[in-house]
Amino acid sequence: MSDMNKTTDASDAADTLDFETSGGSGVSGWVATALTLALIAWMGSGYIFPAEEAAAPEARDAGRRAATVAVRASVAEEVTQFFVAEGQALPDRETMIRAETSGEIESLSVQKGQIVDAGVEIARIDAAERSAQLTQANAEIERATREVENAQSLLERGVATQDRVTDARAALATAQAQLATVEQGLDNTVIRAPFPGLLDDLTIDPGEYVQAGTEVGRIIDTDPLTIEVQVPQQAVSGIRADQSAMVSFITGETREGTVTYVSGSADAQTRTFRAEVQVANPDGAIPSGVSAQIRVPVGEATAHFISPAVLALGTDGILGVKTLEEDNTVGFTPVEIVRAQTDGIWVSGLDDQATIITIGQGFVSAGEQVDPRDEAAIAQVNLAAPVSPSVAEEVQ
């Protein structure tokens, strides 16, 4: 048994590896050394074999192809400038209708929503009590009249004094005043329209008792209509009375009106001036209270008609238009919007004759060389987006 153990221990000792003395133990060192030398040689190669210098910016720009853009020749025209403001249509007159005496509503003569003339009966209050008072007042007048005649006759015969005649005449005057009051009260039992217009509201019914001063309806006069607008202080110098104005209502109606009033002082809060435009409305087709837009001509200007899509912003945030210069470079001209329409806008600031970049302006900058193409040629192939050089080749 002991001999077998000795044999096993000898075999294990022979199989144990020694990294310092075993064959191939130096290979890893050689590999690391080789990699280090290769890295040093690669880093130093730049000094021995320098790379070619990058092409100058001018050389790169010379090799770059100019962007293709669509252009259109534009000629300035005289265009009317308008002051435009939003307002509200107001009736020429409106008032509440009130009962002028107390009593029970006997009858109604018109209906709510009906157009009435001035003085037309709207409703009637029961006048039985006033009729009785009228009979009594007339009887008192007759009695007072006879009393004056008797006193005068007695005075002439020397039986009565002047004081009796004076008292009789005072009683007659009182009776006459009472009669006038009763007659006025009787007339007040008829509720009438104060002016011609639309009976916009009526809040009473037959049999209803009303007190004197009670509001029983509302009447408005919509001919003419008054459009009230606010004018900014920078535009008020161009607005004056008697100017013509075009008024467009939200209902779709468009009518011509006249400026009738411009305030002489600005509102303390908004710094705007109140102005009024009157519009004839004899048929009552335009209701009161609807929104309206007024357009008042305030002068002439020389401007170009362009699409809003042509507008661009400069580097400083100024609104402008990109144009084609004589050397086929891009120019940028600040503009101001003179007038806006549904199909385009009028702008000022350009020369009387200008070549405007209409397609591709978003891809080029001021001073950049471009390859211009007529807008009509581009439109023939229905290009709706900015033109790139590749697309321009297709157009050719």
Side-chain angles (χ1 to χ4, degrees), residues 50-61:
E52 295 182 1
E53 293 184 1
E58 293 79 3
R60 291 199 305 269
D61 292 341

Side-chain angles (χ1 to χ4, degrees), residues 287-352:
S288 171
V290 298
S291 299
Q293 181 189 77
I294 69 163
R295 294 168 59 87
V296 182
V298 293
E300 300 287 332
T302 302
H304 290 259
F305 186 72
I306 63 172
S307 167
V310 175
L311 294 176
L313 287 177
T315 56
D316 51 1
I318 297 178
L319 192 68
V321 171
K322 292 180 181 177
T323 58
L324 182 68
E325 304 301 320
E326 293 182 355
D327 55 352
N328 284 350
T329 58
V330 179
F332 180 83
T333 305
V335 297
E336 292 184 2
I337 297 177
V338 172
R339 174 177 163 186
Q341 300 177 186
T342 56
D343 55 344
I345 58 175
W346 294 88
V347 297
S348 63
L350 295 169
D351 294 336
D352 290 345

Side-chain angles (χ1 to χ4, degrees), residues 137-377:
N138 284 326
E140 185 64 25
I141 287 290
E142 293 178 0
R143 187 196 65 79
T145 302
R146 290 194 303 269
E147 184 65 27
V148 171
E149 293 174 352
N150 293 334
Q152 185 66 35
S153 177
L154 293 174
L155 178 61
E156 293 174 355
R157 290 184 295 175
V159 178
T161 63
Q162 184 62 43
D163 291 340
R164 181 175 177 178
V165 174
T166 302
D167 292 341
R169 288 177 178 174
L172 177 59
T174 302
Q176 290 173 338
Q178 182 64 28
L179 176 63
T181 301
V182 172
E183 289 177 339
Q184 183 62 47
L186 186 62
D187 184 66
N188 289 342
T189 59
V190 180
I191 302 174
R192 304 179 185 276
F195 52 78
L198 173 69
L199 188 60
D200 193 54
D201 196 11
L202 190 62
T203 59
I204 53 175
D205 296 301
E208 181 179 349
Y209 186 87
V210 295
Q211 294 284 352
T214 301
E215 295 179 355
V216 298
R218 178 171 175 264
I219 187 171
I220 59 175
D221 182 8
T222 59
D223 183 28
L225 283 172
T226 299
I227 316 302
E228 183 178 298
V229 298
Q230 299 298 323
V231 182
Q233 51 188 341
Q234 62 268 27
V236 71
S237 60
I239 308 298
R240 64 183 184 277
D242 297 329
Q243 277 183 295
S244 62
M246 189 59 65
V247 182
S248 300
F249 296 92
I250 198 171
T251 57
E253 294 274 352
T254 300
R255 298 193 179 182
E256 187 175 353
T258 304
V259 179
T260 57
Y261 170 76
V262 180
S263 175
S265 61
D267 182 89
Q269 300 297 325
T270 62
R271 311 307 303 170
T272 58
F273 295 78
R274 184 168 61 90
E276 295 179 356
V277 176
Q278 281 193 352
V279 178
N281 187 33
D283 54 359
I286 304 174
S288 171
V290 298
S291 299
Q293 181 189 77
I294 69 163
R295 294 168 59 87
V296 182
V298 293
E300 300 287 332
T302 302
H304 290 259
F305 186 72
I306 63 172
S307 167
V310 175
L311 294 176
L313 287 177
T315 56
D316 51 1
I318 297 178
L319 192 68
V321 171
K322 292 180 181 177
T323 58
L324 182 68
E325 304 301 320
E326 293 182 355
D327 55 352
N328 284 350
T329 58
V330 179
F332 180 83
T333 305
V335 297
E336 292 184 2
I337 297 177
V338 172
R339 174 177 163 186
Q341 300 177 186
T342 56
D343 55 344
I345 58 175
W346 294 88
V347 297
S348 63
L350 295 169
D351 294 336
D352 290 345
Q353 295 185 351
T355 303
I356 300 174
I357 301 177
T358 58
I359 302 178
Q361 74 276 12
F363 291 82
V364 295
S365 303
E368 183 178 341
Q369 195 83 21
V370 293
D371 182 15
R373 292 288 188 274
D374 184 69
E375 184 184 49

